[in-house]
Amino acid sequence: MGNPAFIVFEGGEGSGKSTQTKALTNRLRKVGYKVVPTHEPGGTALGERLRRWVKWGKAITIPTELFLFLASRSQLVKQVIRPALKSGKVVICDRFSASTIAYQGHGRGIDLSLLESLDDFVTEGVKPDLVLLMDLEAEEGLIRKKRKWDSFEREEFGFHQRVREGYLKMAAADPERWVVIDASLPEFRIAELTWERVRDFLIYGKVSTSPATSSP
Ligand code: TMP
């Protein structure tokens, strides 16, 4: 059913992207869409190994970190995303290129135009049709993480604030593709808001520009 679509969840730590990826996948499947859920870094055999290195490796330099994320993305685009879109499926990815702009660009301070060129190189022009930003105060997201913190979660608070601001800038610059969702709302409410936006997008081919942050 339907045309191929590439939907991406983005957001800072603890913003609930993985839960919402699952909820949206189930909902779309229920109404007959063929859906491929995936995530970054990871989603392929090599990508999963890179994920472990980048999250738990010691003394990884900033350029090494960047190239590990890009390597994982290249594998995912080639092995999973492109083939799925080609066969008419809906791909839902937990993080994609905007994570690199937010974390390595706004967070670490790498030049944004350099990141954009490198990202274009690895994605070969594959861009999300719709980006759902789970927006949350950096502090609240970190408090939600109860298990052992990985190398990103252990970053100073200012890093997480810059990541959040970076995401909000990207969303403001591209309202045709980005939807900002208030991730402090209850899970079921976020799922509803997400579903409304995705349904409109799949039916009408564009996102509605009214804010998706209303209370229940
Ligand atoms: P996650 O499972 O919490 O999404 O872990 C992935 C971590 O990697 C998260 O802290 C964000 C970070 N990340 C980057 O810094 N750059 C990237 O390009 C991607 C995809 C993730």
Side-chain angles (χ1 to χ4, degrees):
M1 174 178 176
N3 294 320
F6 182 23
I7 300 170
V8 171
F9 279 99
E10 290 283 359
E13 309 304 323
S15 59
K17 295 173 290 80
S18 317
T19 309
Q20 294 302 329
T21 299
K22 282 189 202 118
L24 181 61
T25 299
N26 292 340
R27 197 131 193 195
L28 283 168
R29 282 181 177 158
K30 255 191 203 153
V31 294
Y33 283 91
K34 289 201 163 47
V35 186
V36 175
T38 188
H39 61 268
E40 273 207 11
T44 63
L46 178 56
E48 291 303 325
R49 297 176 78 167
L50 298 173
R51 176 181 179 87
R52 279 199 296 279
W53 286 352
V54 88
K55 278 172 76 107
W56 304 104
K58 298 261 180 313
I60 291 183
T61 67
I62 289 178
T64 301
E65 175 187 280
L66 168 65
F67 285 109
L68 291 177
F69 283 121
L70 294 173
S72 172
R73 184 163 307 139
S74 173
Q75 295 300 125
L76 189 68
V77 167
K78 179 98 187 199
Q79 293 177 11
V80 178
I81 299 175
R82 242 188 219 291
L85 294 174
K86 219 170 166 188
S87 62
K89 294 179 181 144
V90 175
V91 176
I92 305 179
C93 197
D94 179 347
R95 299 194 181 281
F96 197 62
S97 304
S99 283
T100 306
I101 302 294
Y103 282 78
Q104 280 62 53
H106 294 273
R108 301 266 191 247
I110 303 179
D111 179 68
L112 297 184
S113 53
L114 170 66
L115 292 180
E116 277 157 15
S117 309
L118 289 170
D119 187 66
D120 283 347
F121 175 57
V122 298
T123 57
E124 297 171 358
V126 172
K127 299 218 180 308
D129 298 301
L130 177 65
V131 184
L132 299 155
L133 173 60
M134 301 290 116
D135 179 52
L136 192 63
E137 294 272 356
E139 201 165 20
E140 195 180 332
L142 290 167
I143 290 169
R144 286 183 184 182
K145 292 265 170 173
K146 294 205 175 69
R147 54 164 174 72
K148 196 174 153 218
W149 282 8
D150 65 29
S151 50
F152 288 93
E153 289 147 5
R154 284 197 303 265
E155 275 297 332
E156 35 107 22
F157 185 56
F159 174 86
H160 294 286
Q161 274 177 321
R162 291 196 297 282
V163 167
R164 182 184 185 207
E165 282 156 21
Y167 272 130
L168 289 171
K169 264 190 204 152
M170 282 185 268
D174 193 359
E176 302 276 299
R177 275 193 319 143
W178 283 66
V179 175
V180 182
I181 301 204
D182 177 356
S184 69
L185 292 171
E187 240 170 63
F188 78 93
R189 184 68 191 134
I190 299 174
E192 280 302 320
L193 288 168
T194 303
W195 172 240
E196 284 166 18
R197 296 307 163 117
V198 169
R199 189 196 50 202
D200 286 359
F201 171 75
L202 291 173
I203 296 172
Y204 304 114
K206 57 179 184 165
V207 296
S208 123
T209 47
S210 58
T213 50
S214 54
S215 301

